[in-house]
Amino acid sequence: MGLAQTQHRFLVRQKVTLMANRYLVHTVGPDGEEAELVAFAHQKRMALKEQFTFYTDESRRQVLFTVKARQVIDLGASYDVHGASGSRLGGFRKNFGASLLRSTWHLSREGAAGETTGQERSERLALLRRAWEFLPFTDLIPFIVPYHFDFTEEERTVMTVDKIFGLRDRYVLDIADPELDRRLAIAQAVALDALQSR
C-alpha cells in the first residue's frame, strides 16, 4: 500500500456477485478513469459477524488489511481495521441515532485523540433515500441519485465520498488529509456502501 499512500483520489466500484460483496479500488488516471488496482475487497454475505478482507488484487493471494465487527450484527456496530501484520490501524462505527435523519459515521485512527465524523451532505437527499428503501422491490432497483459524505475533524475536511450517478454502485474517494492512512479511508468508503442499510 506504499504507492497508494501518496494518492489522494480513488475510484471504488462494487462487483456484483450472488454469495459475496466485492469491491475494486483503483487509483484515478489523468482521464478520470480507473487506473491501477490497489485493493480488492471480499465480504461473505449473511455472516453473523461482519468481516471484510482487502487483498492486493482479485487473485486473493496477498492480504492488505482486514475489517472486523466487534460483535454480531448490531445497528450501532463498531468495526476495527487491522493491517496485514495484525496491527490495528483504527476503526469506525455508525451513529445509529444521528443516522435516522442523515447517515453519520465516526472514524478513529489508532493513537489519535480526535475522531473524524462523516455525514451525508444533503438532509433532503438522505430523507429521499430512506423513503426509497421502504418501497417494495427496491432491492432489485438501486437508488441511482448521487449522494455525498463529508468527513470532518475540528471543522476541516479530512475526506469526502461521492456516489457517481448510475445503476452501478461506484464512488469517488477524495482524501484531503495527507496523514490519513489510505487503508482506513478505503475501508470506510467501502463500508458506506456495504453497511449503509445496517
Side-chain angles (χ1 to χ4, degrees):
M1 201 71 175
L3 172 68
Q5 187 61 32
T6 65
Q7 302 295 319
H8 300 287
R9 175 172 278 192
F10 299 90
L11 292 174
V12 179
R13 173 169 51 92
Q14 184 179 27
K15 186 174 183 178
V16 178
T17 62
L18 288 176
M19 299 307 295
N21 286 326
R22 293 180 176 173
Y23 294 86
L24 298 162
V25 183
H26 291 85
T27 58
V28 181
D31 57 358
E33 295 299 316
E34 294 177 353
E36 180 184 3
L37 178 68
V38 293
F40 172 73
H42 177 85
Q43 177 210 25
K44 288 182 181 176
R45 289 190 182 150
M46 308 298 283
L48 287 177
K49 203 169 181 181
E50 303 277 10
Q51 177 174 336
F52 295 84
T53 304
F54 288 77
Y55 301 91
T56 54
D57 57 40
E58 291 187 73
S59 71
R60 301 191 327 191
R61 285 194 290 264
Q62 185 179 348
V63 174
L64 276 174
F65 59 96
T66 60
V67 176
K68 294 180 183 177
R70 290 185 188 168
Q71 61 269 2
V72 172
I73 293 175
D74 181 357
L75 295 174
S78 295
Y79 300 84
D80 292 308
V81 182
H82 293 269
S85 65
S87 59
R88 188 175 186 276
L89 306 174
F92 55 84
R93 63 184 171 81
K94 189 170 186 179
N95 183 327
F96 179 71
S99 293
L100 292 173
L101 289 179
R102 279 196 288 183
S103 287
T104 303
W105 293 79
H106 300 288
L107 177 68
S108 61
R109 310 179 210 197
E110 188 67 12
E115 198 173 55
T116 301
T117 299
Q119 190 172 57
E120 282 183 90
R121 189 177 301 159
S122 168
E123 186 173 333
R124 182 179 296 169
L125 190 56
L127 293 172
L128 177 63
R129 195 166 57 76
R130 273 152 192 71
W132 176 265
E133 290 171 359
F134 281 109
L135 296 174
F137 308 114
T138 56
D139 283 348
L140 304 173
I141 306 166
F143 185 76
I144 62 171
V145 179
Y147 53 88
H148 318 279
F149 280 84
D150 298 310
F151 285 79
T152 60
E153 190 173 330
E154 296 177 355
E155 298 186 9
R156 68 181 175 85
T157 300
V158 173
M159 70 181 211
T160 60
V161 181
D162 298 313
K163 185 176 191 294
I164 299 171
F165 181 84
L167 293 174
R168 294 188 305 164
D169 286 339
R170 297 189 309 142
Y171 302 85
V172 176
L173 165 62
D174 276 309
I175 301 171
D177 184 345
E179 301 301 317
L180 179 61
D181 191 308
R182 298 324 190 235
R183 295 168 294 182
L184 195 55
I186 289 169
Q188 176 69 84
V190 166
L192 290 179
D193 182 81
L195 306 173
Q196 188 66 280
S197 61
R198 299 284 189 273

